[in-house]
Amino acid sequence: MDHAKDAALLDLVSTGETAAAAPPVRELADRRKVFADQVDLLFRHSPTGVLISIVVGGIATYELWGENTRDLISVWCVLMVFVGAARHILYRAYYKRRDDNFDNWLRWFAIGAFAMGAVWGFAGAVFFPAHTDAQQVFLSFLLAGMVAGGIPVYSAVWWVYAIYGIAIIAPFTYILATFGTEQFVELSVLVPMFLAVNISIAHRLSRVFADGFRLRHAYSHLGQDHSMLNTQLQDQIEELLQAQREIEASGRKLALFSERAPIAVFEVDRNGTVLEMNPSAENTFGYSSTELIGRSMIRMLIPSDEPILNSEWWKSFVRNARPEAGLKVRCRRRDAVELVCEFSLTPLVNDVGELISVITQCHDITQQLEAERLKKEFTSTLSHELRTPLTSIIGSLQLINTGMLGDLDKEVSELTIIAERNGQRLLDLINDLLDIDKIESGKLQTYPEPLSIDELVRESLLLNRAFADRFGVRMVLLGNPPPIAVFADKKRLIQIMTNLMSNASKFSPQGGTVEVQLEQVDHMARVSVMDRGSGIPPEFRSRIFGRFAQADSAVTRQKGGTGLGLAICKRLIELMGGRIGFADRAGGGTTFFFELPLMNRAAAATG
Ligand code: ADP
């Protein structure tokens, strides 16, 4: 047997880590432990066995001592003392140097038991024939006593008892069988039978011992498991208590936040009934918490004709249980004054996906909206009011600059040209501002019609050539574009072309060329405006179509521009069912392009 391996297994088990995970390992270890306990029990009873043998041996010597048998009995006594001493030495060694090699200890013990049995067997075989009837009876009783008395001493391992018993009985049986009288022959049959009965009792006893030891180990495992469970339970309770303390602390923090927050906070259940509200909610809507808690937030605060946060809307919100933010909703205060609030709704969902409650936050944006409206109205009115006189100023300056009103001094002429150009810039800015205003209020409209985009491209080139000349830039049309029909707003398309071509001219190096290309890509007409300028800086790309977006305001201050043009172009193109974009050019520069659906598709799309 591999003891090193078994010892390792025992170690594993004693750590308790693998016990639950690998029951076979624990079972194997228990079997080894039970075996060790059995061997241990044998050794514990060993001194008693030896002592009894010596004492009974002494009595036997006294009884059997005679002239003829003196020598033999002396030899027998020496043997008895020798075996007894050897067994005692083994016993001492076991307790001094006991290791895990219990097979070996058992082997030595069995040899000792056999030797002791053999000494008694010797007595039976040698002394029985040479003595009187009374002494023979005495000897028979002694041997029977030794065989029976061996049961408690050796039955921890039944086969040790069997060896011991056979060593006593076998020679004695032989003597009985060969003695010559009929009764002794009969006895020689009976004696081994008695021994067999004793061995079977010893066998049963050894099983009882083993079961007892097994139970003891199982009980000790139970104790270990129990204390392990107890420790785990203790740890878990401690963790739970800690979590509870943390939750309570964060609950207190949350309550504090919500109490002091300048925004109104409600906690409502899945039906919209108010469960909790903070002081700011009381201030915003004029209700005390006692008036609102337990009542429907929607019925109390939201007008029935409001498209968001009405009963139907709430049902679908509860069904989806997804957070909502930035909802602008009309609300009614306790004093019937209407206000507009911006709502954020956060559903609290448990781990099985059920909605527990909804945290509703809102703040009054009525004044903010009013201020924005006034600002827009002011910008729009101002722009309109500025545009009318400015248009007539530019018209007058154009009249002067064309020379129709007579020749001017060179210096005056230069000044009027500058005045016309700046007037035009101002008008462009005002027009852009008005467009942006329309985009934001959703009022920007296009008026599409069937048109040949190839002609429109050629016309745009002519219109913008003068502008390009100012920057010393040449503008060319690549190839000879075929006729392509689109369904688009002509005025707005020229506005887009003008913006792209003027940008390309502004950002091209002096003496550079801006190339314009028209082509059909899939079912779209694609117009590209390509320059050899410095390109679009990477950090600016995501913002380029935003309002007032300029990569370098110093350059645009010098060359003109508002940062509104591309934002307007994008919206216009989208209104016409197309898309706009840009890409770096191989060899430097940028290509801005837009695509519009071809005539049939665009017409079909607009119905
Ligand atoms: P702007 O009136 O300032 O030209 P746009 O909206 O038309 O306003 O353009 C926004 C910004 O995008 C410009 O200020 C410039 O920084 C950048 N940009 C536009 N077109 C080009 C181009 N072809 N090359 C380099 N930069 C450009």
Side-chain angles (χ1 to χ4, degrees):
M1 197 167 292
D2 189 349
H3 296 284
K5 205 159 95 193
D6 282 344
L9 288 178
L10 278 170
D11 274 348
L12 268 180
V13 171
S14 64
T15 61
E17 273 171 32
T18 48
V25 175
R26 186 189 261 192
E27 241 171 58
L28 193 66
D30 279 356
R31 240 179 282 149
R32 292 290 310 161
K33 279 189 192 167
V34 167
F35 176 61
D37 285 339
Q38 285 175 297
V39 175
D40 201 56
L41 188 64
L42 280 181
F43 271 95
R44 241 185 298 144
H45 289 165
S46 170
T48 320
V50 171
L51 191 68
I52 290 172
S53 276
I54 302 259
V55 171
V56 176
I59 296 170
T61 309
Y62 174 75
E63 278 303 325
L64 302 176
W65 191 265
E67 276 304 308
N68 307 340
T69 54
R70 193 187 303 150
D71 293 345
L72 267 177
I73 288 194
S74 300
V75 171
W76 182 75
C77 275
V78 171
L79 271 178
M80 171 69 78
V81 171
F82 175 73
V83 171
R87 286 192 61 186
H88 191 68
I89 291 168
L90 178 67
Y91 167 79
R92 296 288 300 268
Y94 172 78
Y95 279 104
K96 229 176 167 183
R97 281 188 267 134
R98 181 168 51 171
D99 53 20
D100 284 340
N101 195 347
F102 287 99
D103 292 280
N104 204 29
W105 288 114
L106 179 63
R107 205 172 302 129
W108 282 110
F109 188 90
I111 292 170
F114 177 76
M116 189 57 93
V119 169
W120 281 106
F122 174 91
V126 175
F127 301 142
F128 192 80
H131 284 80
T132 62
D133 288 353
Q135 282 174 322
Q136 282 175 344
V137 171
F138 174 76
L139 195 59
S140 304
F141 268 106
L142 272 194
L143 292 180
M146 288 315 292
V147 171
I151 292 181
V153 179
Y154 300 111
S155 60
V157 177
W158 70 272
W159 59 262
V160 173
Y161 173 74
I163 288 175
Y164 166 78
I166 291 167
I168 298 175
I169 292 302
F172 183 54
T173 306
Y174 174 75
I175 290 300
L176 287 177
T178 54
F179 201 74
T181 70
E182 199 178 318
Q183 287 93 335
F184 282 161
V185 172
E186 283 168 12
L187 269 179
S188 74
V189 176
L190 286 176
V191 167
M193 279 169 60
F194 292 146
L195 177 65
V197 171
N198 276 2
I199 291 175
S200 97
I201 291 171
H203 181 251
R204 267 211 236 141
L205 266 178
S206 83
R207 294 222 350 227
V208 169
F209 280 129
D211 284 346
F213 291 135
R214 211 167 292 128
L215 273 177
R216 197 174 69 183
H217 290 300
Y219 184 74
S220 106
H221 286 317
L222 260 183
Q224 277 171 13
D225 289 351
H226 180 249
S227 73
M228 210 165 77
L229 274 178
N230 252 346
T231 324
Q232 278 176 3
L233 206 67
Q234 203 60 40
D235 289 352
Q236 279 175 359
I237 289 175
E238 191 44 50
E239 271 172 31
L240 276 176
L241 283 175
Q242 181 60 23
Q244 189 190 2
R245 280 194 288 273
E246 280 167 18
I247 288 171
E248 277 171 8
S250 77
R252 275 197 300 277
K253 240 188 265 172
L254 265 182
L256 210 68
F257 278 146
S258 119
E259 252 172 50
R260 305 269 163 91
I263 52 170
V265 183
F266 295 95
E267 186 186 4
V268 294
D269 67 10
R270 54 181 304 120
N271 302 318
T273 307
V274 178
L275 303 173
E276 295 268 0
M277 59 190 273
N278 70 348
S280 186
E282 293 182 328
N283 291 340
T284 308
F285 296 100
Y287 286 101
S288 70
S289 56
T290 46
E291 286 173 301
L292 276 190
I293 288 178
R295 304 185 110 154
S296 161
M297 178 184 77
I298 294 170
R299 222 171 321 116
M300 296 295 286
L301 304 181
I302 315 290
S304 52
D305 59 342
E306 181 56 37
I308 311 179
L309 263 183
N310 56 34
S311 319
E312 282 311 305
W313 187 95
W314 182 260
K315 274 183 208 153
S316 101
F317 168 76
V318 168
R319 233 186 347 264
N320 297 330
R322 286 211 200 93
E324 294 278 354
L327 305 174
K328 293 193 176 68
V329 183
R330 276 190 306 124
C331 299
R332 206 182 32 231
R333 272 183 9 185
R334 189 177 194 275
D335 54 11
V337 170
E338 273 208 357
L339 31 116
V340 181
C341 289
E342 191 171 297
F343 277 78
S344 296
L345 306 179
T346 312
L348 299 182
V349 177
N350 64 14
D351 46 6
V352 289
E354 280 168 8
L355 185 101
I356 307 163
S357 64
V358 180
I359 300 297
T360 308
Q361 294 159 307
C362 64
H363 65 282
D364 182 0
I365 55 165
T366 320
Q367 286 177 2
Q368 181 190 330
L369 289 179
E370 183 59 12
E372 274 171 23
R373 192 187 63 76
L374 286 175
K375 196 178 82 189
K376 272 197 195 144
E377 204 176 274
F378 174 73
T379 319
S380 165
T381 316
L382 190 72
S383 306
H384 276 292
E385 291 305 317
L386 282 175
R387 195 159 66 161
T388 321
L390 196 59
T391 315
S392 76
I393 291 170
I394 293 170
S396 309
L397 285 169
Q398 277 171 345
L399 215 59
I400 295 168
N401 287 339
T402 52
M404 284 171 77
L405 302 179
D407 288 340
L408 297 175
D409 277 355
K410 194 169 167 268
E411 280 172 11
V412 176
S413 160
E414 270 172 14
L415 285 175
T416 52
I417 288 171
I418 291 172
E420 186 203 330
R421 191 180 299 157
N422 283 330
Q424 191 58 53
R425 272 174 80 171
L426 206 55
L427 187 63
D428 288 346
L429 173 64
I430 290 169
N431 284 336
D432 281 356
L433 280 174
L434 284 172
D435 277 347
I436 283 288
D437 185 37
K438 281 188 202 147
I439 288 174
E440 281 177 0
S441 57
K443 286 184 193 149
L444 186 74
Q445 277 190 329
T446 52
Y447 301 95
E449 54 180 319
L451 58 90
S452 303
I453 194 164
D454 49 303
E455 280 171 22
L456 185 132
V457 168
R458 286 193 186 89
E459 194 182 331
S460 306
L461 258 105
L462 285 178
L463 285 173
N464 286 286
R465 193 146 283 157
F467 185 82
D469 287 346
R470 270 177 35 203
F471 295 93
V473 171
R474 226 159 51 86
M475 217 173 269
V476 295
L477 178 63
L478 288 187
N480 188 17
I484 300 178
V486 294
F487 191 67
D489 183 326
K490 185 174 178 190
K491 202 176 120 210
R492 293 302 193 177
L493 217 48
I494 288 184
Q495 184 182 345
I496 294 166
M497 287 296 298
T498 303
N499 195 71
L500 296 187
M501 289 196 287
S502 60
N503 277 351
S505 309
K506 276 193 298 188
F507 296 103
S508 282
Q510 206 173 10
T513 304
V514 170
E515 292 166 329
V516 180
Q517 189 178 30
L518 169 65
E519 56 195 332
Q520 189 178 321
V521 179
D522 296 331
H523 298 289
M524 307 289 267
R526 181 187 180 114
V527 179
S528 308
V529 179
M530 298 167 273
D531 63 57
R532 287 282 175 208
S534 54
I536 315 291
E539 68 283 359
F540 181 58
R541 287 163 183 256
S542 59
R543 290 187 290 126
I544 195 163
F545 290 106
R547 288 185 310 149
F548 300 106
Q550 292 181 322
D552 183 347
S553 50
V555 175
T556 34
R557 241 195 323 277
Q558 184 197 340
K559 301 192 174 186
T562 58
L564 293 172
L566 286 177
I568 297 169
C569 288
K570 183 169 175 358
R571 185 73 196 123
L572 285 173
I573 280 289
E574 284 169 358
L575 277 176
M576 290 187 264
R579 69 177 193 105
I580 190 168
F582 66 92
D584 288 335
R585 270 186 95 185
T590 316
T591 298
F592 271 87
F593 64 88
F594 65 84
E595 290 176 350
L596 283 173
L598 297 181
M599 173 67 187
N600 293 343
R601 292 194 157 244
T606 49

